Amino acid sequence: MHISRTAAGRRRRAAAVAAVVACSTALIGPNPAAAGGDTPVPAVPAPKLDFRPCVPGSPFDCATAEVPLDYHNPRGRTIELAVVKRKATGPGRRIGTLLFNPGGPGGPGTVQMPWNYESFPREVRERFDIVSWDPRGIGNSTAVNCFSSPEEAAAWAASKPAGFPVGEQERTAFFAAYEELGRRCEQSDPELLRHVSTADTARDLDLLRQAVGDEQLTYYGISYGTFLGATYANLFPGKVRAMVLDSDWDPQAWTNHGSDEAPGSTAMLRLGADRAAGETVDQFLALCGSAPTARCAFSAGSPEATQEKYDRLMKRLRERPVGEWTYARTVDDMVNGLYVVHPGWTDLARRLQDLWQGRTPEPTPFPPAPPVPNPNPYLGEEQASAVFCGDSPHPRDPAVYQELERASAARAGDAGRHWTWATAACTHWPGVAANPYRGPWNKPTAHPILVVGTTVDPSTPYAAAKAMTRELADARLLTHSGHGHTALLNPSSCVAEYESRYLVDGTLPPAGTTCRQDTPPFSEPRPRGGISTGGGGTADGGAGRS
């Protein structure tokens, strides 16, 4: 759940998970008349998926699904969804299909699922076909694109400061750029902008479930994908077979508690992303300072000295950037670099040390592109903005952002500035979701849901996992004691084992279960994640709450 404003940032988001997203009486939000979002819609036949190898010799198969743009008018315009599948590796033991959303909003599943396929537990890969897709408006599907060429998009991006604005002149340029983006998007495809909500995507997800031949949905969603999962569970509660929600959004905070009143803050600040990132930055510096420079290049020999070194670096970058590495760009890179601990934290420490020594950091090498037709689709900011600006109310008055930034920086440090400005596009966004879903969140589901929360997460706080567990009618919380964004990409063998048992046969972990990360930051690997349990729960698949 983050916005990367450079090509390298977009690649890092695709490799890791992406995750996107940033007080006035004016707000952008759903149509109050459609606030419930669960108005009955006409029946729509499942699309036909003609899977073929994505590229010759690829282990991944690709297909295109045709779905209605507007589910309330299914005979009207249609759009295309790009879909990818990896067949179960133990076909004789196949259970069904696991549908996966990689987060964002804005994560292209056709790229991220192949890139991160090996992160899924071994037994899950053996027993399920794993299918993902680029949600409507995103990537290789019918996409929101407000520019006529890549060069035009790049020129727009260069018209505003990298990261976030510092000072009045940069704030003026920042909002002027987003005003221009709003105008361009309003002229490009306004009809599409109104139909890329999470509720629309949840209905796509149900058609994909039908298309792969499953009676009920087996689903894994990370970050924004947890909100998509919660939306599906409340639109189609009888269709939930198993659902893992990893690194969660609090649905009440995201939707402003379903209120039509103007929000006093941005959605990301309501979610607590700034506090989560600030805590993770503190942990990064403390753990780095406790490690030798061979493991953390930025270490100054102690947590206190490393924190002081970081503060001095940030102050120096405000006055004297290193090439294009300004203070704001470095903060942006800092927060984004904390998502995946290995090798992300080690690479981040190296970049900070380069800047400390006055050198432009070398770019981080990326793994080979996955074997799919378009491994680097256009992922402009307008794609994520179309989802979160239409789905969730945000302040529309640019003047409130400076005060929000001051308050967030006071409680979360530099990371607060990053998250304050992360949804600034909403100040001038022209699209409002036509048919959003804003609750309730407690409709009884056919089977219980497994919620996974990481204790030190730079994007989604552990408190949001607790909130998601409370909000859903029947959910069990599994605590991942570790660092980074999502347990999927910051692995714990303990978490993987519990997820496998749940996805395969519905067995929930005992209430109060906590798993440790396999390899903590800046440490030698250890063979397995530890486990402790509590709360008197059982592992019989019952409807426990935690």
Side-chain angles (χ1 to χ4, degrees):
M1 182 179 64
H2 68 286
I3 296 174
S4 298
R5 296 186 173 91
T6 66
R10 288 195 295 273
R11 290 292 300 276
R12 187 180 306 117
R13 176 177 62 183
V17 57
V20 167
V21 284
C23 295
S24 168
T25 56
L27 63 94
I28 190 163
N31 179 354
D38 54 355
T39 305
V41 298
V44 178
K48 291 181 171 57
L49 296 176
D50 182 17
F51 280 109
R52 300 168 185 259
C54 295
V55 295
S58 171
F60 296 96
D61 296 321
C62 288
T64 300
E66 187 175 355
V67 299
L69 173 68
D70 181 357
Y71 278 93
H72 288 81
N73 180 25
R75 295 185 179 180
R77 176 182 170 185
T78 61
I79 58 174
E80 292 185 342
L81 305 178
V83 185
V84 66
K85 177 175 73 172
R86 178 73 182 261
K87 293 178 182 177
T89 58
R93 305 171 65 220
R94 179 183 178 275
I95 294 172
T97 297
L98 174 70
L99 283 134
F100 170 66
N101 178 273
T110 61
V111 176
Q112 290 181 338
M113 188 275 277
W115 226 320
N116 298 309
Y117 172 77
E118 297 295 334
S119 297
F120 290 95
R122 177 189 55 79
E123 189 174 8
V124 172
R125 287 180 273 129
E126 290 176 348
R127 306 296 296 275
F128 293 92
D129 296 343
I130 298 180
V131 169
S132 192
W133 76 107
D134 293 1
R136 54 174 59 213
I138 308 301
N140 296 308
S141 293
T142 299
V144 175
N145 186 342
C146 303
F147 300 96
S148 60
S149 68
E151 293 75 20
E152 194 173 77
W156 173 82
S159 72
K160 60 185 180 62
F164 53 84
V166 177
E168 185 61 34
Q169 184 175 349
E170 288 194 356
R171 284 192 293 271
T172 299
F174 209 66
F175 286 118
Y178 283 121
E179 186 175 8
E180 179 189 351
L181 182 65
R183 285 196 304 268
R184 286 178 175 273
C185 292
E186 190 171 25
Q187 294 167 2
S188 64
D189 192 346
E191 186 182 24
L192 180 60
L193 299 185
R194 289 172 48 79
H195 294 285
V196 292
S197 72
T198 304
D200 292 316
T201 294
R203 298 190 189 283
D204 293 341
L205 175 57
D206 196 58
L207 285 190
L208 292 175
R209 172 195 64 78
Q210 297 173 52
V212 298
D214 284 4
E215 288 296 319
Q216 292 182 311
L217 176 70
T218 305
Y219 175 79
Y220 197 122
I222 58 178
S223 196
Y224 163 77
T226 66
F227 181 69
L228 172 60
T231 301
Y232 181 96
N234 285 277
L235 285 175
F236 305 99
K239 296 299 183 182
V240 175
R241 176 192 172 273
M243 183 174 282
V244 176
L245 306 182
D246 177 2
S247 291
D248 302 83
W249 288 14
D250 177 350
Q252 293 284 12
W254 179 252
T255 61
N256 197 34
H257 298 275
S259 173
D260 296 323
E261 296 182 7
S265 190
T266 72
M268 302 320 303
L269 300 184
R270 293 197 303 269
L271 287 173
D274 58 336
R275 295 179 188 271
E279 178 186 358
T280 309
V281 169
D282 290 345
Q283 288 273 313
F284 170 88
L285 295 171
L287 292 170
C288 177
S290 299
T293 54
R295 293 186 189 168
C296 181
F298 193 66
S299 177
S302 73
E304 296 77 15
T306 305
Q307 176 71 62
E308 181 183 1
K309 180 179 178 181
Y310 174 77
D311 292 341
R312 289 171 61 192
L313 174 62
M314 293 298 106
K315 181 179 179 181
R316 195 168 75 196
L317 287 171
R318 278 179 175 269
E319 300 168 355
R320 299 189 307 277
V322 177
E324 295 183 352
W325 285 78
T326 62
Y327 159 74
R329 176 179 173 176
T330 304
V331 172
D332 199 51
D333 181 70
M334 179 81 176
V335 176
N336 293 337
L338 294 170
Y339 276 51
V340 179
V341 171
H342 300 290
W345 285 32
T346 303
D347 291 341
L348 174 60
R350 174 186 55 77
R351 292 194 296 275
L352 290 174
Q353 183 64 15
D354 284 342
L355 291 170
W356 176 255
Q357 295 177 335
R359 298 193 302 263
T360 300
E362 291 292 325
T364 300
F366 293 101
V372 294
N374 183 12
N376 191 26
Y378 175 71
L379 296 173
E381 279 190 49
E382 66 268 33
Q383 295 183 4
S385 299
V387 181
F388 61 69
C389 294
D391 245 18
S392 178
H394 294 78
R396 290 297 299 274
D397 182 0
V400 308
Y401 277 77
Q402 191 173 357
E403 185 55 42
L404 289 174
E405 178 189 6
R406 276 195 288 264
S408 183
R411 64 179 174 259
D414 295 323
R417 306 184 194 279
H418 167 92
W419 281 118
T420 298
W421 294 98
T423 52
C426 297
T427 53
H428 295 94
W429 191 254
V432 178
N435 301 298
Y437 184 81
R438 301 173 66 192
W441 303 101
N442 60 352
K443 294 183 181 179
T445 49
H447 296 94
I449 293 170
L450 180 60
V451 174
V452 182
T454 299
T455 53
V456 184
D457 184 317
S459 177
T460 54
Y462 178 62
K466 291 182 174 180
M468 177 70 87
T469 308
R470 289 193 304 267
E471 289 295 328
L472 297 173
D474 188 2
R476 174 69 53 82
L477 175 62
L478 175 60
T479 298
H480 177 224
S481 180
H483 301 78
H485 187 48
T486 81
L488 181 69
L489 300 176
N490 296 282
S492 161
S493 303
C494 166
V495 169
E497 179 61 27
Y498 277 123
E499 288 178 343
S500 296
R501 293 277 57 77
Y502 167 73
L503 290 169
V504 168
D505 57 32
T507 301
L508 288 167
T513 298
T514 295
C515 291
R516 291 200 305 268
Q517 201 163 32
D518 284 353
T519 310
F522 308 123
S523 68
E524 292 292 343
R526 70 182 179 214
R528 289 184 62 84
I531 172 175
S532 64
T533 61
T538 61
D540 60 3
R545 295 280 300 271
S546 149

